Amino acid sequence: QVQLVESGGGLVQAGGSLRLSCAASGRTFSLAAMGWFRQAPGKEREFVAAIRWSGGGTYYADSVKGRFTTSRDNARNSVFLQMNNLKPEDTAVYYCAASFKYSADTDYYTSIRPYGYWGQGTQVTASS
């Protein structure tokens, strides 16, 4: 079992930046990947980015490529989401998630299915 705690959300003007953090505790030694998802009011939760815990391979939704970067610090059991050039359509509650399921498939970690543990979410608002 693993516990996830996010931080770093807030309100910024369009074009601004925010950095989200997600600290994991518990059975982190067997993690396969960490993901970031977001959910806007009235919409389904959608994939944003993911990073393999070992090897560090990263994956991004087309809507955030070139603007968002995810990274990890294995020693601190933490993952980060650097968000630059934020747009009003990025406004949502952002969640980090943990997966213990291993797959070589490059699309595997871009869906909700592999993730069994979720943080509480943090609000990100980009005002126009």
Side-chain angles (χ1 to χ4, degrees):
Q1 191 166 350
V2 66
Q3 295 79 40
L4 306 174
V5 178
E6 300 119 335
S7 60
L11 171 65
V12 295
Q13 290 188 330
S17 298
L18 283 173
R19 185 176 190 243
L20 305 184
S21 299
C22 176
S25 60
R27 200 187 70 182
T28 58
F29 61 89
S30 56
L31 277 169
M34 296 286 288
W36 291 96
F37 291 78
R38 66 188 182 187
Q39 188 166 18
K43 295 188 176 181
E44 293 187 353
R45 193 168 297 189
E46 65 174 2
F47 169 74
V48 175
I51 185 166
R52 292 183 181 268
W53 198 246
S54 177
T58 55
Y59 311 94
Y60 297 94
D62 288 342
S63 59
V64 306
K65 278 180 183 176
R67 301 187 298 122
F68 291 12
T69 302
T70 188
S71 59
R72 78 197 193 289
D73 183 337
N74 294 52
R76 292 165 55 190
N77 292 328
S78 295
V79 293
F80 309 96
L81 185 67
Q82 177 66 43
M83 305 183 292
N84 298 328
N85 190 21
L86 281 160
K87 303 176 180 181
E89 52 263 42
D90 295 318
T91 296
V93 176
Y94 283 69
Y95 299 89
C96 71
S99 174
F100 291 94
K101 299 179 180 180
Y102 288 84
S103 174
D105 182 354
T106 55
D107 291 333
Y108 186 69
Y109 296 113
T110 66
S111 73
I112 289 177
R113 188 178 54 212
Y115 299 94
Y117 299 89
W118 295 82
Q120 82 283 2
T122 185
Q123 178 70 45
V124 170
T125 303
S127 63
S128 57

